[in-house]
Amino acid sequence: MKIEELLQVVKDRMGIDALNDMQRAALDAWKSGGGDLVLYSPTGTGKTLAFAMCVLQALKPPMQQLQAVVLAPSRELVMQTAEILRILATGYKVTPCYGGHAVSDEKASLEVTPDIIVATPGRLLDHQRRGHIALGGTRVLVLDEMDKSLELGFEDEMRQLLKQMPRINRRILASATVLDVVPDYVRLNKPVTVNVLKGSEQPADRIKVWQVESTSRDKLDCLRDLLLSLDGNKTIVFANYRESVERIHQYLVKNGIDAGIYHGALEQQERECAVAMLNNGSVNVIVATDLAARGLDIERVSHIIHYHLPVSEEAYIHRNGRTARVDAYGEAYVITASDESLPEWVSIDESFVLNPNPRPSHAPMATLYFQAGKKEKLSRGDIMGFVANNGGIDPHDIGRIDVRDHYALVALPRGQVHEALKRLQQVKIKGKKVRISLLK
């Protein structure tokens, strides 16, 4: 795909009028070098779009043959990357493979060989061993967040995978952390390095850090008052333990705050729904462990709240990296009890004074859950038409529609959702009765 065509697609489908300096530098290095690309750039600067454009420039026309493999360390990052590639890669088949996703569904999707696979190393190796996919023809390889992959213990799996891809002629390594040594098994060839970790404005430069002092050791009341003092924009509250996340979430909901929850003990679908509800305006707040600090595709997060002090500087940086993404600005709030001291790597800009008369404000949207999705042949267009024609909702008021393999989520104005639900439950969609409910 030519660069001019790609830029037009990025503008038309993603609303991005111009690439940033890092993205332009990566594309220039990829076009001119002919070798491999090592891309170091801070979290939230658009690395995924940069390497996706490079990959698409290197592909031949769609041919029902595997051409490119993108390996990422988390299912959330796989889903995010696959979505961006699907938006850009017109005519190419993009298949994501990751743990928590039904193996049978992935196997069925792989029966027609994709042009691009985006996967976690373990799941892709499993498919290869089962004979679901042959990797030998792969020509382009991307290793995203390779530093994290090595930290999570994927090295043996990546060694085995790369042995199955002997014909790779272009590689991209993307990371927010400089690797001291690139493993030999990657077999870098004439690498060109683009490093914008220094010498440019970092996300931390666009984040204002507030200290919020809690009058009690239990910070729940302070957190509630802080949330009610803010502007109602997207907020992630980080705590260190799953049990704490559960307790905080229950408290907030009980006190009338529309909040979601995200941690590793939840089912994959529960986590997907929590992120979708924050993105579509059905909740203003999500309470999470550090699992949410990397790889999640959450748009325009305004506020990060550290309910617990993070366990390390790296955890602090990655938490804050959920806001101030690309060129945006954000705010971080560190709640401290009287007996807590701040670590040296937390730099406070100002103390935050809580609003003495906080007012609860509900999220503007609510989400309907359709118990059918892509595998049941439902598309966004099908759902949009169904809701507009049968739900008594103006089409312009219908919010974000997310269609997954076996379910779909539709955001509707909160004040109209109950009446719309009653109407939709009485009607078939595409001639089939689908169970529809309000997602809470």
Side-chain angles (χ1 to χ4, degrees):
M1 191 180 271
K2 294 181 179 179
I3 184 62
E4 296 79 11
E5 296 173 349
L6 271 174
L7 292 173
Q8 191 61 47
V9 170
V10 169
K11 181 176 181 179
D12 294 343
R13 299 190 181 181
M14 302 185 73
I16 298 173
D17 292 324
L19 301 181
N20 62 33
D21 291 343
M22 176 275 292
Q23 291 162 342
R24 287 194 298 270
L27 276 173
D28 289 343
W30 183 252
K31 286 188 299 180
S32 61
D36 297 336
L37 172 65
V38 180
L39 176 59
Y40 296 125
S41 185
T43 298
T45 51
K47 286 193 298 296
T48 304
L49 178 57
F51 72 65
M53 294 182 71
C54 291
V55 167
L56 291 174
Q57 277 200 294
L59 296 189
K60 297 178 181 179
M63 59 181 69
Q64 291 190 3
Q65 179 179 320
L66 183 60
Q67 300 190 56
V69 170
V70 181
L71 296 176
S74 70
R75 66 189 74 180
E76 290 81 10
L77 194 55
V78 166
M79 293 164 60
Q80 173 187 331
T81 302
E83 186 63 24
I84 290 176
L85 281 165
R86 280 172 170 160
I87 291 170
L88 298 179
T90 305
Y92 292 92
K93 183 180 179 183
V94 180
T95 297
C97 300
Y98 52 88
H101 198 207
V103 172
S104 57
D105 286 344
E106 293 181 355
K107 178 185 176 184
S109 183
L110 292 170
E111 286 176 356
V112 176
T113 305
D115 300 280
I116 306 169
I117 288 179
V118 187
T120 52
R123 178 53 67 93
L124 184 58
L125 188 60
D126 183 51
H127 282 299
Q128 186 271 328
R129 286 171 171 169
R130 292 173 186 244
H132 299 163
I133 187 71
L135 303 175
T138 307
R139 296 299 186 96
V140 180
L141 173 70
V142 179
L143 301 179
D144 191 15
E145 291 202 8
M146 187 167 182
D147 61 314
K148 193 65 176 176
S149 294
L150 296 177
E151 179 183 316
L152 294 176
F154 286 130
E155 182 172 3
D156 288 343
E157 291 169 337
M158 288 200 292
R159 282 180 182 274
Q160 294 175 55
L161 279 172
L162 267 59
K163 285 182 181 177
Q164 305 300 321
M165 295 183 266
R167 299 176 67 188
I168 294 170
N169 55 27
R170 301 292 301 271
R171 300 163 186 80
I172 302 173
L173 273 62
S175 176
T177 305
V178 174
L179 295 171
D180 292 332
V181 178
V182 176
D184 291 339
Y185 63 81
V186 177
R187 303 194 304 273
L188 279 179
N189 178 39
K190 297 185 294 184
V192 176
T193 298
V194 174
N195 186 346
V196 297
L197 291 173
K198 296 181 179 180
S200 62
E201 186 184 45
Q202 304 291 302
D205 299 327
R206 303 192 302 274
I207 299 173
K208 183 170 184 177
V209 181
W210 301 84
Q211 182 173 10
V212 186
E213 296 182 5
S214 174
T215 56
S216 65
R217 201 166 189 280
D218 188 334
K219 304 174 184 178
L220 287 175
D221 290 343
C222 180
L223 173 63
R224 176 201 61 202
D225 292 345
L226 172 59
L227 288 170
L228 296 179
S229 298
L230 300 180
D231 52 18
N233 288 331
K234 290 177 188 171
T235 301
I236 303 178
V237 178
F238 282 104
N240 291 345
Y241 313 104
R242 294 173 182 173
E243 296 79 6
S244 300
V245 167
E246 294 277 359
R247 177 170 173 260
I248 294 166
H249 177 253
Q250 291 171 7
Y251 173 86
L252 293 181
V253 171
K254 184 178 178 180
N255 282 269
I257 294 174
D258 300 316
I261 185 169
Y262 192 99
H263 60 66
L266 297 173
E267 294 293 331
Q268 175 65 17
Q269 182 173 315
E270 293 178 296
R271 300 206 296 269
E272 291 173 2
C273 287
V275 172
M277 290 178 73
L278 186 62
N279 275 330
N280 72 21
S282 295
V283 298
N284 297 325
V285 180
I286 193 168
V287 187
T289 60
D290 284 338
L291 181 64
R294 276 188 183 242
L296 289 190
D297 185 17
I298 302 177
E299 304 162 356
R300 297 182 297 279
V301 175
S302 296
H303 311 294
I304 298 299
I305 298 177
H306 301 274
Y307 182 87
H308 288 143
L309 290 171
V311 296
S312 67
E313 181 176 9
E314 182 185 18
Y316 178 69
I317 291 170
H318 284 295
R319 285 181 180 186
N320 286 350
R322 294 299 90 198
T323 189
R325 297 180 71 79
V326 189
D327 297 320
Y329 288 80
E331 295 180 306
Y333 300 81
V334 183
I335 302 178
T336 54
S338 57
D339 60 346
E340 285 185 307
S341 58
L342 293 172
E344 61 181 13
W345 33 263
V346 175
S347 179
I348 300 297
D349 295 315
E350 197 171 336
S351 294
F352 188 84
V353 179
L354 295 170
N355 185 341
N357 299 300
R359 296 181 178 181
S361 59
H362 287 293
M365 308 295 280
T367 297
L368 292 185
Y369 177 92
F370 284 60
Q371 197 170 324
K374 294 175 184 175
K375 300 298 183 181
E376 290 74 34
K377 309 300 182 184
L378 277 189
S379 68
R380 286 187 178 88
D382 294 331
I383 295 173
M384 170 66 81
F386 175 72
V387 174
N389 294 329
N390 301 288
I393 303 285
D394 187 302
H396 295 94
D397 291 334
I398 298 174
R400 179 168 171 155
I401 299 174
D402 290 287
V403 184
R404 304 290 185 178
D405 282 350
H406 294 292
Y407 72 93
L409 307 176
V410 184
L412 299 178
R414 183 172 292 271
Q416 302 178 55
V417 71
H418 290 287
E419 180 60 31
L421 177 59
K422 289 180 184 178
R423 294 186 181 205
L424 296 173
Q425 286 175 329
Q426 306 305 314
V427 188
K428 294 181 178 180
I429 179 169
K430 296 186 75 175
K432 297 179 181 178
K433 189 70 175 175
V434 172
R435 182 175 296 177
I436 307 171
S437 57
L438 182 65
L439 189 61
K440 296 182 179 180

